[in-house]
Amino acid sequence: MDRFGTDEAGFSVEYDADTRMVRVEAWGFWNVEVASSFGPVVRDACRGRPRGTTLRLDMSRLRPMRDEGQRSFGSLMGWASGLGIQETLILTGSELVKLQLLRLVADSGARERTRFT
């Protein structure tokens, strides 16, 4: 598992070959550095995985994102289908974060391949 940021604000990424799933967990209120790295780091973790891989984003402990985080997340959603991601599952804990992510998913054109739980 790769971990970025701090215990207070960051994210982790790992790939489970048995389930063909890239698992991401995000938490806290991201600073500019963490927010800007999110999309590219997760994109790289998805790159080269078998077609049909699932991207699971546990955003249940994430606080609302600033502009940098929104851009980074939106870019990731736009890249997902080109990376062979079959489905993106997003777990949220806050209604505000869920609304923010719903808008970003819709803006990126990834709504059909994304489920919120």
Side-chain angles (χ1 to χ4, degrees):
M1 175 185 337
D2 294 321
R3 187 176 159 99
F4 302 85
T6 66
D7 288 343
E8 290 77 35
F11 63 96
S12 64
V13 181
E14 68 179 326
Y15 177 67
D16 182 340
D18 293 336
T19 61
R20 290 186 5 205
M21 184 178 290
V22 175
R23 292 189 179 128
V24 178
E25 184 178 358
W27 60 89
F29 187 67
W30 291 343
N31 63 29
V32 172
E33 182 181 337
V34 170
S36 299
S37 67
F38 178 78
V41 166
V42 177
R43 176 197 60 207
D44 291 347
C46 295
R47 189 174 278 145
R49 304 297 179 200
R51 280 220 164 281
T53 294
T54 299
L55 174 59
R56 181 182 182 273
L57 301 169
D58 181 347
M59 312 294 261
S60 60
R61 295 189 301 137
L62 183 68
R63 299 197 41 215
M65 293 184 284
R66 293 184 236 187
D67 291 342
E68 299 86 6
Q70 292 180 57
R71 278 193 299 273
S72 194
F73 179 87
S75 295
L76 172 63
M77 292 295 95
W79 295 323
S81 69
L83 295 168
I85 299 298
Q86 174 180 313
E87 180 179 44
T88 301
L89 304 173
I90 302 175
L91 292 78
T92 60
S94 157
E95 285 301 313
L96 183 58
V97 171
K98 182 177 182 178
L99 289 172
Q100 192 176 52
L101 298 178
L102 277 166
R103 178 182 53 80
L104 294 167
V105 166
D107 289 351
S108 71
R111 186 69 191 120
E112 291 181 17
R113 299 177 315 278
T114 304
R115 280 192 307 135
F116 282 81
T117 60

